[in-house]
């Protein structure tokens, strides 16, 4: 057994994830613009209807815990568990790719529905939760590469950052989305 094991530097892995995300983001835009125009058209209208019916009231803590257990917790647990194992890079890369592809598709759908105002809608959909989700995910990737013994402790700390993002998504994001949607409708 060699004294030194070859490992990739964490910044290289993060850079590869950024390239994967950007490449599939552009692929999502092209697919939405060229191949799946009908689906993109309906997705844009569904997003608009969801913004119209969005309620910032009736957001309670018990509903939040049910929502996070159903929608965000399973994904985060799978990412944390896969970050512990060597072959987990495949799952983390697949998640990065899927996120890039779906965000590119959504970007094109909102741009198709709202034209340049769709950029504001994209920002409204991503804020404030991605200010916590993104650092938590990047640090999870870096932590996976280093494979330190304290992985569980770091994963729990990153889970707290992820939980803060989920709270922002559940409680603050609907208000932001409602305000930006109102602004988008006022703009010509």
């Amino acid at each position: 057994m060699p004294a030194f094991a070859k490992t990739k530097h964490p910044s290289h892995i993060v850079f590869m994830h950024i390239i994967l995300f950007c490449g599939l983001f552009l692929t999502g835009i092209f697919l939405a613009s060229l191949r799946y125009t009908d689906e993109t058209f309906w997705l844009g209208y569904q997003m608009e209807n969801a913004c119209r019916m969005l309620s910032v009231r009736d957001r309670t803590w018990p509903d939040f815990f049910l929502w996070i257990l159903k929608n965000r917790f399973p994904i985060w647990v799978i990412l944390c568990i896969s970050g512990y194992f060597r072959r987990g890079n495949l799952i983390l890369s697949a998640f990065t790719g899927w996120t890039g592809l779906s965000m590119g598709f959504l970007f094109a759908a909102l741009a198709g529905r709202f034209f340049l105002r769709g950029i504001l809608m994209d920002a409204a959909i991503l804020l404030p939760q991605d200010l916590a989700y993104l650092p938590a995910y990047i640090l999870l990737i870096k932590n996976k590469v280093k494979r330190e013994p304290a992985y569980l402790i770091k994963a729990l700390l990153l889970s707290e950052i992820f939980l803060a993002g989920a709270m922002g998504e559940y409680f603050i994001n609907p208000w932001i989305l409602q305000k930006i949607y109102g602004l988008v409708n006022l703009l010509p």
Side-chain angles (χ1 to χ4, degrees), residues 14-29:
V14 171
F15 182 71
M16 288 177 10
H17 277 268
I18 291 170
I19 295 297
L20 179 65
F21 176 86
C22 292
L24 287 172
F25 180 83
L26 292 174
T27 303
I29 291 173

Side-chain angles (χ1 to χ4, degrees), residues 45-187:
Y45 276 106
Q46 287 176 343
M47 287 299 299
E48 185 174 9
N49 286 334
C51 288
R52 284 185 191 154
M53 297 185 318
L54 188 63
S55 172
V56 293
R57 297 180 190 137
D58 303 328
R59 301 266 172 176
T60 63
W61 285 102
D63 290 340
F64 167 71
F65 289 118
L66 288 175
W67 174 83
I68 196 168
L69 285 174
K70 183 180 175 186
N71 296 304
R72 297 294 177 258
F73 184 72
I75 295 168
W76 183 249
V77 168
I78 289 170
L79 293 175
C80 286
I81 291 172
S82 67
Y84 183 74
F85 297 102
R86 284 194 193 277
R87 304 273 184 227
N89 283 335
L90 181 63
I91 293 172
L92 293 173
S93 296
F95 180 76
T96 300
W98 173 252
T99 304
L101 186 69
S102 60
M103 287 182 71
F105 200 90
L106 181 64
F107 180 82
L110 291 175
R113 177 69 188 114
F114 296 106
F115 303 107
L116 290 178
R117 298 170 294 162
I119 296 171
L120 287 174
M121 289 297 295
D122 283 318
I125 288 172
L126 299 176
L127 291 175
Q129 66 269 17
D130 277 5
L131 297 176
Y133 289 162
L134 187 61
Y137 185 63
I138 290 172
L139 290 172
L140 182 71
I141 292 169
K142 283 186 174 184
N143 193 30
K144 191 250 181 293
V145 172
K146 291 181 181 179
R147 293 192 51 85
E148 295 177 358
Y151 179 81
L152 179 62
I153 294 169
K154 289 184 178 182
L156 289 174
L157 290 173
L158 293 175
S159 296
E160 291 179 18
I161 297 171
F162 186 83
L163 180 63
M167 286 190 298
E169 182 178 4
Y170 189 79
F171 291 110
I172 300 170
N173 180 262
W175 181 82
I176 292 172
L177 193 56
Q178 196 175 48
K179 298 301 177 193
I180 295 295
Y181 177 71
L183 177 66
V184 163
N185 283 330
L186 290 176
L187 295 174

Side-chain angles (χ1 to χ4, degrees), residues 25-40:
F25 180 83
L26 292 174
T27 303
I29 291 173
F30 287 129
L31 285 175
S33 300
L34 301 176
R35 175 76 175 111
Y36 296 102
T37 54
D38 290 339
E39 289 83 357
T40 305

